[in-house]
Amino acid sequence: MVPLDVAGSRSCVLLGDHLQLPPTVFHPEADDLQINRSMFERLCVLGHQPDLLEEQYRMAPAISAFPRKHFYGGRLLDAPSVSERRQTKLVPSFLLLDLKSHAVQTASGSWQNQEEAKFCARLAAELQSTSLSASNDVLARDIGIITPYKAQQFLIESALNRRKLQFPVRVATVDSYQGQEFEAVICSTVRASHNSRSGIGFVADERRLNVALTRARECLLVVCHAQTVAQSKTLAALLEHAQQQRAFRTRPFCRCLWWCMPANKPIFASTYMTAFDCADG
């Protein structure tokens, strides 16, 4: 605000999205003190109505369906060019993959999940190989992996280094991916525990989740431990959306062409936790 005051400006135009990444604040009482709010968000809270750019030009319709409805209340639409764009037939545009795994907290306080890191590296390798076999170099060259945690980023990079990839796959945290896009994105949510009181940390942050789910153009694969992430209302809504769209897969995954597996039968939200508790038993 200081530069605006010094310049004596009579008007100011702010460009941004207060529904995406918040400021990074490490104060333990940041939420209670509301010091993690951007100026954009504060102005919206005070009653200033932002003008929404109503069309999105990046995501395939199957990828944009959930963000458009859940984060933007149905006001955001697919541009005609997106709907008319030829979609890849190699894999479904959107899948949510439930992997039974376990996450641990590192000495630095970050989190990592060994099973999920190996699985994400395998997905990236198979997706690249399949794309190359179908002469789709555009997708093969442009695969990214997103994760909320730095420790998981290092673990996935290590798993990728043990695979023979023709093109590099970029791995980064959600915060690093703001403003970027890839043909295909694999999202590693990391947190996994059979203790319903363990929590899921800032994986539940709607604004970070919005960024993670809106980076892909043609293919979005979300890897999670469904029982754990269902603690978040937003992620529970994403799970229900995936089931409704027949885009939900759970173990066991077949060794190749895992995306061709028939969709699992929908589990209603009210019985979601019970159903997975039984499956784990």
Side-chain angles (χ1 to χ4, degrees):
M1 296 299 290
V2 173
L4 297 176
D5 184 62
V6 172
S9 304
R10 297 182 60 185
S11 61
C12 173
V13 178
L14 298 180
L15 299 177
D17 187 348
H18 63 292
L19 299 178
Q20 294 202 2
L21 279 184
T24 301
V25 182
F26 294 103
H27 194 285
E29 299 178 6
D31 288 337
D32 294 335
L33 297 175
Q34 297 183 349
I35 57 177
N36 60 349
R37 280 184 176 178
S38 66
M39 182 170 67
F40 201 122
E41 185 178 359
R42 289 176 185 274
L43 290 172
C44 292
V45 171
L46 290 172
H48 293 272
Q49 292 296 321
D51 291 323
L52 177 69
L53 299 179
E54 296 179 348
E55 292 184 335
Q56 70 85 21
Y57 295 83
R58 174 186 297 151
M59 298 169 280
I63 299 174
S64 70
F66 180 79
R68 286 191 293 105
K69 178 182 178 181
H70 190 85
F71 300 122
Y72 299 99
R75 293 180 299 150
L76 185 64
L77 305 174
D78 291 328
S81 59
V82 171
S83 302
E84 296 166 2
R85 192 169 71 204
R86 185 177 179 181
Q87 307 297 322
T88 177
K89 301 298 182 182
L90 294 174
V91 292
S93 293
F94 169 63
L95 283 179
L96 192 148
L97 306 171
D98 174 29
L99 182 69
K100 297 299 181 283
S101 59
H102 182 68
V104 296
Q105 190 169 27
T106 65
S108 65
S110 187
W111 287 80
Q112 62 183 26
N113 184 319
Q114 186 78 36
E115 297 95 335
E116 198 166 289
K118 291 179 179 178
F119 186 62
C120 287
R122 174 191 154 195
L123 288 182
E126 288 190 4
L127 186 56
Q128 187 176 103
S129 174
T130 302
S131 301
L132 289 171
S133 298
S135 300
N136 189 341
D137 287 9
V138 174
L139 194 150
R141 292 173 181 269
D142 202 25
I143 300 173
I145 301 179
I146 300 180
T147 179
Y149 297 102
K150 202 75 174 177
Q152 184 73 352
Q153 175 187 341
F154 297 147
L155 210 57
I156 295 172
E157 288 174 337
S158 177
L160 286 170
N161 288 336
R162 292 193 290 271
R163 292 183 171 271
K164 294 180 180 179
L165 299 174
Q166 188 162 339
F167 304 112
V169 173
R170 191 192 168 201
V171 188
T173 60
V174 177
D175 294 44
S176 301
Y177 262 103
Q178 173 85 328
Q180 297 189 55
E181 65 177 47
F182 286 82
E183 287 294 309
V185 168
I186 300 168
C187 183
S188 169
T189 57
V190 183
R191 299 297 284 265
S193 172
H194 297 294
N195 180 359
S196 60
R197 293 184 231 175
S198 63
I200 58 174
F202 62 52
V203 173
D205 189 307
E206 278 204 5
R207 293 167 293 184
R208 280 190 170 84
L209 187 60
N210 188 1
V211 172
L213 297 179
T214 55
R215 300 304 96 195
R217 282 173 48 83
E218 295 298 333
C219 177
L220 173 64
L221 307 176
V222 180
V223 182
C224 70
H225 184 271
Q227 180 178 332
T228 298
V229 300
Q231 297 175 52
S232 157
K233 289 183 179 179
T234 301
L235 284 165
L238 178 64
L239 290 167
E240 187 170 5
H241 169 79
Q243 292 163 357
Q244 292 170 350
Q245 300 302 313
R246 300 186 64 80
F248 179 79
R249 305 287 188 273
T250 191
R251 64 170 186 179
F253 303 109
C254 57
R255 188 152 187 81
C256 60
L257 296 180
W258 37 268
W259 45 82
C260 293
M261 289 178 61
N264 297 91
K265 294 181 180 179
I267 303 171
F268 294 105
S270 60
T271 60
Y272 191 84
M273 296 297 289
T274 304
F276 271 94
D277 286 342
C278 293
D280 286 343

